[in-house]
Amino acid sequence: MNNNVTTMSDYERMRLVILGGPGVGKSSIIKRFLTNTYTSKYRSTIEDLYNREYDLGHMTLKVDILDTAGDMQFPAMRRLCIATAHAFLLVYAVTSSPSLDCIKQCFEEIREQRGDFQEIPIVIAGNKLDLTSTHREIPIEDVSEWVYCELPKLRVKVLECSAKDDINIKEIFRTFLTLSRILPRETDEQGGLKRRSSAYVNKGGRRNASPALDKEKPGPSDNKDTLPKPRSRSLIRRASRKTKQQLRDAQSGAEECNVS
């Protein structure tokens, strides 16, 4: 295939990379969104890749969600994740001040590696909102001040969520569509993602439940009760300069958040 030819499938693919410190709930946010489930058991993540296809009416969006390690033991893997991302979800815990420092470090890595960082959709999510009545260390005002006052103009949104109580989880993923101009900002609560297929990848081999957000459409027959084997990371390695240029072209002209 000619690398200079932009195909529709390339344009419709979004690779979302999730970064943050250990124990902030990155995997819990993904599980709540994809399967509407939650577990309090903690399992350290090295790297898990999930994928979905969504019918947006005017297009089919292929979403790859990459859950990364919370520590810094795999710097080469981390650099590759940052280099190939179309969007970032930076997760901290509202109950842990060091976790905010960690996503600040993550952002600095993005800024150093990606010359187009101002064009990349970024959502900064403070998880564990369910614990704020008894233990809050980070006011959302502090995070907003850092994002909107200390940083350059970004395509970014700050919000708080709870994977345990399912608060603002769907809003996180809708925000990426509006920041990317894939969906208009006025999309109502019932609009947005309608799942087209049910590909779900997790090293744990758990059963796949339909997420509450998605309205599944008939697709190719598959066993919805059994998860496919984990896919290799070759999907991420196929990213190229062409992909980055397509991202810039697709996002050009989109609104950037105004710095207060």
Side-chain angles (χ1 to χ4, degrees), residues 19 44-47 68-82 109 203 233:
L19 299 171
S44 179
T45 300
I46 296 179
E47 184 179 276
T68 64
D71 54 38
M72 306 297 289
Q73 295 183 18
F74 309 97
M77 185 182 298
R78 190 181 188 89
R79 287 193 297 269
L80 179 62
C81 293
I82 292 175
E109 293 180 44
K203 294 178 182 178
R233 295 176 61 248

Side-chain angles (χ1 to χ4, degrees), residues 56-148:
L56 303 183
H58 63 292
M59 62 184 290
T60 297
L61 177 66
K62 299 177 182 180
V63 181
D64 303 318
I65 302 175
L66 188 62
D67 187 11
T68 64
D71 54 38
M72 306 297 289
Q73 295 183 18
F74 309 97
M77 185 182 298
R78 190 181 188 89
R79 287 193 297 269
L80 179 62
C81 293
I82 292 175
T84 59
H86 295 158
F88 293 100
L89 172 59
L90 306 184
V91 181
Y92 68 96
V94 297
T95 57
S96 169
S97 294
S99 70
L100 180 59
D101 295 332
C102 186
I103 67 163
K104 288 181 178 180
Q105 180 180 352
C106 291
F107 177 78
E108 289 304 316
E109 293 180 44
I110 294 170
R111 178 154 57 179
E112 290 174 2
Q113 295 187 46
R114 297 293 296 269
D116 59 344
F117 71 94
Q118 290 178 303
E119 303 172 6
I120 301 175
I122 299 175
V123 172
I124 297 175
N127 192 33
K128 304 190 180 183
L129 186 61
D130 52 287
L131 299 178
T132 55
S133 61
T134 57
H135 187 60
R136 175 191 282 273
E137 293 187 6
I138 306 175
I140 192 172
E141 294 81 9
D142 291 353
V143 183
S144 297
E145 182 179 0
W146 166 62
V147 171
Y148 298 115

Side-chain angles (χ1 to χ4, degrees), residues 160-176:
E160 293 182 332
C161 66
S162 169
K164 180 178 180 180
D165 291 348
D166 194 13
I167 300 173
N168 276 343
I169 300 300
K170 299 171 189 175
E171 180 61 24
I172 289 174
F173 293 89
R174 284 199 187 91
T175 297
F176 284 111

